[in-house]
Amino acid sequence: MNNIHCYEGNYDKALFYSKMGRFFAEERYIRQMPYLRNKPEKVWFTVEEKEQVIAFSSIDFKDEYVEFTTEYVEARYRRKGLFRVLTDARFEYCQDLKMPIKTSTNIGFIKDYYVRRGFEVYRMTKNYWFLRRDNQEASTWKETKRTRPEATIRNSMI
């Protein structure tokens, strides 16, 4: 059975990088995700099988909005609903924040998925769609971050 884990706040970085390190370091992943970065305010969601990460996504907190950042599912696990499960986890995490959510993608069916979830395309470039969804009343991350736990690794069965 797959597990979904949430890494937020002052989580165990050694544990996180022992599971996620290959995505930051191996050339094949760097080519696919050249903008993959970690920073203290990011929240990561991972799906594991046999204690190995097979899919992940993240949230980055800006002053006036939440950004759904990197989304990745290992090729052999695609089309099994993991992207949806991770995105649902991000929506659940953000439901009480009352901040707009933004994301971007260069993949048409991902853009279509977000549009079905209530996002609007607010900007396009040659290669990317930029999407936004209002999440009730807007507040700022500075006002809401105190309500989040200092450190957690939450687990739930999918």
Side-chain angles (χ1 to χ4, degrees), residues 12 18 20 54 72 89 94-95 107 112 118-119 123 135 138:
D12 182 345
S18 73
M20 289 286 295
I54 59 172
Y72 183 78
C94 294
Q95 73 184 10
I107 302 170
D112 295 342
F119 284 73
R123 184 167 66 105
N135 202 15

Side-chain angles (χ1 to χ4, degrees), residues 67-143:
E67 184 174 17
F68 283 11
T69 53
T70 308
E71 305 150 337
Y72 183 78
V73 178
E74 288 278 16
R76 69 177 185 234
Y77 296 98
R78 292 179 185 158
R79 305 196 59 78
K80 298 182 185 296
L82 295 177
F83 172 82
R84 181 187 45 78
V85 167
L86 287 167
T87 302
D88 287 348
R90 292 188 290 180
F91 278 122
E92 183 179 329
Y93 188 92
C94 294
Q95 73 184 10
D96 296 332
L97 296 181
K98 299 181 180 178
M99 296 173 65
I101 300 171
K102 292 184 177 183
T103 193
S104 61
T105 185
N106 63 347
I107 302 170
F109 71 87
I110 300 288
K111 185 250 323 163
D112 295 342
Y113 172 83
Y114 279 120
V115 168
R116 287 192 307 274
R117 296 292 305 258
F119 284 73
E120 295 178 11
V121 174
Y122 70 91
R123 184 167 66 105
M124 292 172 37
T125 64
K126 179 180 176 187
N127 297 313
Y128 281 87
W129 292 277
F130 294 84
L131 301 107
R132 175 189 169 111
R133 178 178 123 163
D134 288 328
N135 202 15
Q136 296 95 25
E137 302 169 22
S139 63
T140 68
W141 169 237
K142 291 176 184 173
E143 294 169 358

